[in-house]
Amino acid sequence: MFKLSFGKDCKQLICIAAISLILWGCGSTPSTKNPKATNAISLGQATQTHDYYADKAIKSSGIQQQAYYLLALRSALNNGQLDAADNYLGLLPSNSMLNDDHRLELQLLQSLRFAYADDLSLAIATLSPSSSWQVSENRLVTLYQQRANFLTQNQQPALAANDLIDALSLAQEESLKATLRQTIWQEYQLLPIEELESLLTTATSIEQSGWLALAIIGKNALQSPESLQQQLMQWGTQYPTHALSNHIPERLVAAANVIPYTPKKISVILPLSGRYERIGQAVQNGILSNLMAQNSEQEIQLIDSHDVGAVAAYQQAIDTESEFIIGPLLKSNVEQVVAIESTIPTLFLNTPRDASAAPNQFFFSLDKESEALQGAKYIYQLGKTHPVVVAPDNVRGHQISALFSQQWQELHEGDFGAEDVEVIFFKKDSELKATIERLFETDKSQKRINTIRYLVGNKMEAETHSRRDIDAVYLVANPKQTSMLMPSVEVTVSAYANQVPVFVGSSGNAYRMTDSGLTHLNQLTISEIPWLLSTDNELSPSKIKRLWPKMKQSQLRLFAMGHDAYGLIERLAQMRLFPEYRLQGLSGQLNLDEQSKIHREMSWAQFQRGRLKKIQ
C-alpha cells in the first residue's frame, strides 16, 4: 500500500508546471516533466542506529518526521537502548499518529517496550487493531504474530492460536502460510483434550472449529490406524475448504498409516529357574495376567534364559519364527543379545550400558536412576533450596547421588549462586544415627555443651541445636535403613527448628497393604509405582498377594512391569511417532523417548498415622 507525500522538490515542480501553462498560453510549447510521487517511509525494520533516524527526523517535518522517530524508536528497542526508547516514546503520543500505519507501528513498539519490562499483560493489551484501519495485510499479520508470541510466553496458547488463525487468513506468501499452520498446530498441541473439547463447543468460526476438531483427533492419535483414517476422512468431509484440508500434519498422516505390532506368536525370555527364578516368575505372571485379561489368542513361548543362556534363548525365539520378543530381563543378558541383528521387534526388560537402539528395539526397566532424577525435580517443585543426599558409601550410592546432584544443577541452570548438592555417605547401618548427627551438626553442638558444663558444672541446662539451612533430605536406602533413619532425623533436629522432610525412592519402601503401625515413618515421602498405591483397580495388589502369598514387595513391582510390557506391544510403533504421549500403566505413566527407552513417571505418597497415603 503506497502513500503520496510532497516535499520541497515536489513543490518546485508544481511551480514550474504553472509557469509552463502560462507560457503555453502565449504560444510557446516547452517540454514538461511529470512530477514523481515519493513513497512513504517503510516502517517495521530499522537497519541504522537510532541517532541516524533521529537526525533524519530533525531535518524533516510532518508525516516523514513522525516516521523517522518511529524508526528511531524501533532501532533503540532492537539494541536494548531503553532510555533512548523511552525518550522517543515521549515524542510519540498515541493520539498524535498521522495515519493508520503509524498507529499500528506505535502499538507494536509500545508492546515491545512493555515486554522488555516483563509486563506481558500490558504488552498483549497494547496490541488492539481497529477494524477501520487502512493498512496492508502484511502489517496486520505482523501485529497478530507479535501478540500471539506474547500470549504464548504468557501461557495462553488458545488465544495465541486465535491470533495466528487471523494472521493465516491474511498471509499471502506460501512459506509464511506454512510457518503459521505449523505454529497454530503446535499451540493447540499444548492444550489437554478436555480444554480442546470445551473450546470446540464455543468456537466462533468454522476455521477455528476445524483446527480444534483436528487437534482433538491428534490427541487421540494412538487409537487404531483404521479408526484414525476414518476420523480424518470425516474431518475432511466436514471442513473441505479449511486451511489444513490439503496440509494435514505429517505426524497425523504417519500415525494413520503406521502398522502397529500385532504378533500372533510372542517369545518371552526370562530367568525361570536358578538364582533369579522368583523375579522372572513375577514378570511372567504379570505378562500372562494381561494376556488373559485381553482374552487374546496369541501364542506365548516362555524361554528360560538361565537354562539355555541368553544368546541361545534369543536365537531360539528367532528360529521358532516369533513375531515379537519380550526380554531378556537381567542387564548382563540384555548386553549379550542387544547386538544380535534381527528384524523381530524386541522389548528388552533392562537398559544396557552405552548401547544405541536398532529400529525395532525398545528398552523398559525399573531403574532406580530415573527415580533419583524425579526426586530432584519433585523436591525442586516443592520450593526447597538446600537438599542433602544421604547414601551408602558404595558404587550404587555414589551413582545415585551423582545423578541427583546433576539433575539439581540442571534445574538451576542460569541461576547465579546455585550451590552443589551436599552429599553425606555412611559405610554401614550402625553408622546411620551418627551420620545424621554429623549432617545436622548436633554432634558439634553437644561437644560445645559438654565443654561449658565442664567449666561451669553439670547443673547447667542446655539444648542441642541443629543446622537450619537444610530443608530436605533425599535418602538412598533399603527399607531397613529407611526405618532406622526416620527416627534419627526426628530426634536429631532441634526442637527450635522446623522438621526437615525426608524423601526416598521405592527401593526404600517396605510398606505392605496390611501395615498400619508404621508411625515411626510418619511424614516420610516416597516415590512409588501407582499400582501399589491404588485401591480401585480390578487387578489390585492385595488380589495378587492372595494368588501368590510369598510374593515380596519388589516382586509386585516386577509383576506390574510384566503387565505393562505386554500392554505396550500394540502401542510401541505409534508411541515412537508421539514422544509426548503418556500411557497410564501399573508401573507408572509411560512414554517413549528418542532413544527408544520407556520412561516411567512415578507417583508420590506419604506416611500419615502409620499408613501410606497417595499425594494427590
Side-chain angles (χ1 to χ4, degrees):
M1 183 173 182
F2 297 95
K3 304 281 186 182
L4 292 177
S5 59
F6 297 94
K8 183 177 179 181
D9 294 340
C10 292
K11 291 178 181 178
Q12 291 176 348
L13 288 172
I14 292 171
C15 292
I16 293 172
I19 294 171
S20 298
L21 286 171
I22 295 171
L23 292 175
W24 178 80
C26 297
S28 61
T29 56
S31 62
T32 62
K33 294 181 179 180
N34 294 324
K36 294 182 180 179
T38 304
N39 292 339
I41 296 170
S42 178
L43 300 175
Q45 190 173 17
T47 57
Q48 304 293 333
T49 66
H50 71 87
D51 288 329
Y52 171 86
Y53 293 117
D55 183 61
K56 287 278 190 179
I58 292 170
K59 296 176 182 178
S60 304
S61 61
I63 197 167
Q64 284 191 325
Q65 183 181 66
Q66 190 172 87
Y68 280 125
Y69 275 131
L70 287 167
L71 286 168
L73 171 56
R74 181 172 285 279
S75 177
L77 288 171
N78 287 348
N79 293 285
Q81 298 167 302
L82 301 184
D83 289 339
D86 291 340
N87 289 334
Y88 294 127
L89 281 169
L91 298 173
L92 295 164
S94 300
N95 58 7
S96 70
M97 294 298 100
L98 298 176
N99 63 31
D100 291 338
D101 202 38
H102 287 195
R103 292 184 185 92
L104 185 152
E105 179 70 4
L106 183 60
Q107 282 193 15
L108 290 170
L109 298 174
Q110 287 174 330
S111 176
L112 284 173
R113 182 62 184 91
F114 285 127
Y116 265 115
D118 293 325
D119 194 335
L120 287 176
S121 296
L122 276 177
I124 294 164
T126 300
L127 296 169
S128 54
S130 170
S131 58
S132 63
W133 280 358
Q134 297 295 312
V135 295
S136 71
E137 292 175 335
N138 286 339
R139 297 286 283 151
L140 279 175
V141 167
T142 300
L143 185 145
Y144 285 127
Q145 283 183 295
Q146 182 164 309
R147 190 166 67 182
N149 179 42
F150 292 148
L151 285 165
T152 299
Q153 294 180 44
N154 207 38
Q155 298 183 356
Q156 296 174 275
L159 294 178
N162 289 344
D163 274 348
L164 293 170
I165 290 172
D166 288 338
L168 180 59
S169 69
L170 299 169
Q172 300 297 316
E173 297 179 6
E174 187 53 43
S175 60
L176 176 58
K177 289 182 179 180
T179 299
L180 288 170
R181 285 193 297 265
Q182 181 179 5
T183 309
I184 296 167
W185 181 252
Q186 291 171 347
E187 295 290 348
Y188 279 131
Q189 293 307 296
L190 296 173
L191 299 174
I193 190 169
E194 296 81 11
E195 187 172 349
L196 290 170
E197 290 171 344
S198 176
L199 289 169
L200 182 58
T201 62
T202 58
T204 56
S205 69
I206 193 71
E207 191 69 14
Q208 185 186 24
S209 296
W211 278 103
L212 290 164
L214 194 63
I216 291 169
I217 293 173
K219 289 291 182 180
N220 292 321
L222 273 173
Q223 58 197 303
S224 69
E226 295 81 5
S227 176
L228 182 57
Q229 289 173 1
Q230 185 179 6
Q231 289 199 30
L232 289 176
M233 290 178 63
Q234 291 174 347
W235 182 90
T237 302
Q238 188 173 357
Y239 302 98
T241 61
H242 195 272
L244 282 181
S245 58
N246 295 317
H247 304 280
I248 300 295
E250 291 181 3
R251 285 205 305 168
L252 268 185
V253 175
N257 294 308
V258 73
I259 301 175
Y261 299 124
T262 55
K264 294 181 180 179
K265 181 176 182 178
I266 302 171
S267 283
V268 178
I269 303 172
L270 296 168
L272 299 175
S273 62
R275 179 182 176 185
Y276 299 105
E277 176 182 356
R278 288 192 176 183
I279 67 172
Q281 288 179 346
V283 176
Q284 168 196 282
N285 294 337
I287 293 172
L288 296 179
S289 69
N290 200 351
L291 173 73
M292 291 185 290
Q294 302 298 327
N295 292 320
S296 175
E297 296 181 358
Q298 290 168 319
E299 178 186 349
I300 298 291
Q301 176 179 226
L302 297 171
I303 306 176
D304 185 357
S305 57
H306 175 78
D307 185 32
V308 301
V311 174
Y314 197 76
Q315 191 61 51
Q316 181 180 335
I318 296 172
D319 293 342
T320 54
E321 299 183 346
S322 298
E323 296 174 352
F324 197 96
I325 301 172
I326 298 177
L329 173 63
L330 304 179
K331 184 181 288 287
S332 58
N333 288 347
V334 171
E335 291 176 341
Q336 289 178 41
V337 303
V338 71
I340 298 176
E341 293 186 7
S342 172
T343 59
I344 302 174
T346 302
L347 178 60
F348 295 101
L349 299 180
N350 219 314
T351 306
R353 302 175 186 88
D354 305 322
S356 56
N360 284 330
Q361 291 180 337
F362 307 89
F363 303 102
F364 181 30
S365 68
L366 299 183
D367 62 297
K368 305 307 177 188
E369 292 80 5
S370 63
E371 288 196 52
L373 301 179
Q374 291 177 48
K377 291 179 183 178
Y378 186 70
I379 293 171
Y380 173 80
Q381 291 167 356
L382 291 176
K384 305 302 180 183
T385 58
H386 194 114
V388 175
V389 177
V390 178
D393 191 8
N394 55 32
V395 173
R396 179 172 172 270
H398 282 267
Q399 180 186 30
I400 297 296
S401 59
L403 286 170
F404 184 101
S405 300
Q406 180 182 348
Q407 180 67 67
W408 189 260
Q409 285 301 317
E410 290 179 3
L411 291 168
H412 286 82
E413 188 175 1
D415 293 351
F416 294 104
E419 300 178 354
D420 291 336
V421 174
E422 185 177 351
V423 182
I424 187 165
F425 297 101
F426 60 90
K427 291 186 179 296
K428 49 187 177 181
D429 294 359
S430 59
E431 294 181 359
L432 259 175
K433 186 176 185 299
T435 300
I436 298 303
E437 290 177 351
R438 190 168 76 252
L439 169 63
F440 287 100
E441 297 182 355
T442 52
D443 55 341
K444 294 180 181 179
S445 176
Q446 187 61 51
K447 286 181 180 179
R448 290 192 294 269
I449 292 172
N450 292 341
T451 301
I452 295 172
R453 278 179 175 166
Y454 175 78
L455 295 173
V456 303
N458 289 331
K459 293 183 179 180
M460 183 195 75
E461 294 184 1
E463 287 276 354
T464 57
H465 288 264
S466 59
R467 289 174 57 179
R468 301 291 184 92
D469 58 329
I470 298 173
D471 57 5
V473 173
Y474 186 80
L475 178 63
V476 182
N478 59 38
K480 179 183 175 182
Q481 293 163 343
T482 301
S483 294
M484 294 175 65
L485 176 128
M486 280 303 294
S488 297
V489 172
E490 187 173 352
V491 300
T492 301
V493 175
S494 170
Y496 302 102
N498 293 327
Q499 188 67 29
V500 178
V502 180
F503 304 83
V504 70
S506 62
S507 59
N509 180 21
Y511 179 68
R512 301 290 190 275
M513 304 300 293
T514 56
D515 287 344
S516 60
L518 302 177
T519 54
H520 65 289
L521 297 179
N522 281 348
Q523 305 308 308
L524 172 66
T525 302
I526 292 177
S527 61
E528 187 55 272
I529 68 171
W531 179 57
L532 288 181
L533 303 174
S534 64
T535 56
D536 56 353
N537 193 304
E538 291 183 5
L539 190 69
S540 65
S542 57
K543 181 177 179 180
I544 299 304
K545 283 287 289 181
R546 287 194 298 271
L547 291 173
W548 293 283
K550 295 183 179 181
M551 189 175 285
K552 297 180 179 179
Q553 189 89 337
S554 59
Q555 292 164 7
L556 283 172
R557 298 188 187 99
L558 289 165
F559 175 93
M561 178 191 184
H563 190 279
D564 288 347
Y566 179 80
L568 281 166
I569 293 175
E570 65 178 356
R571 295 176 172 87
L572 285 170
Q574 289 161 295
M575 288 177 76
R576 177 167 275 162
L577 290 173
F578 297 90
E580 71 279 8
Y581 178 78
R582 300 292 185 272
L583 174 65
Q584 188 58 59
L586 299 187
S587 63
Q589 197 176 64
L590 311 175
N591 74 291
L592 186 70
D593 68 11
E594 294 179 353
Q595 286 73 45
S596 295
K597 181 180 178 181
I598 298 290
H599 283 278
R600 296 181 305 121
E601 189 70 29
M602 305 288 280
S603 295
W604 289 90
Q606 188 179 72
F607 277 96
Q608 299 172 4
R609 297 181 180 180
R611 298 192 73 91
L612 193 58
K613 303 291 184 182
K614 186 176 180 179
I615 299 174
Q616 300 298 326

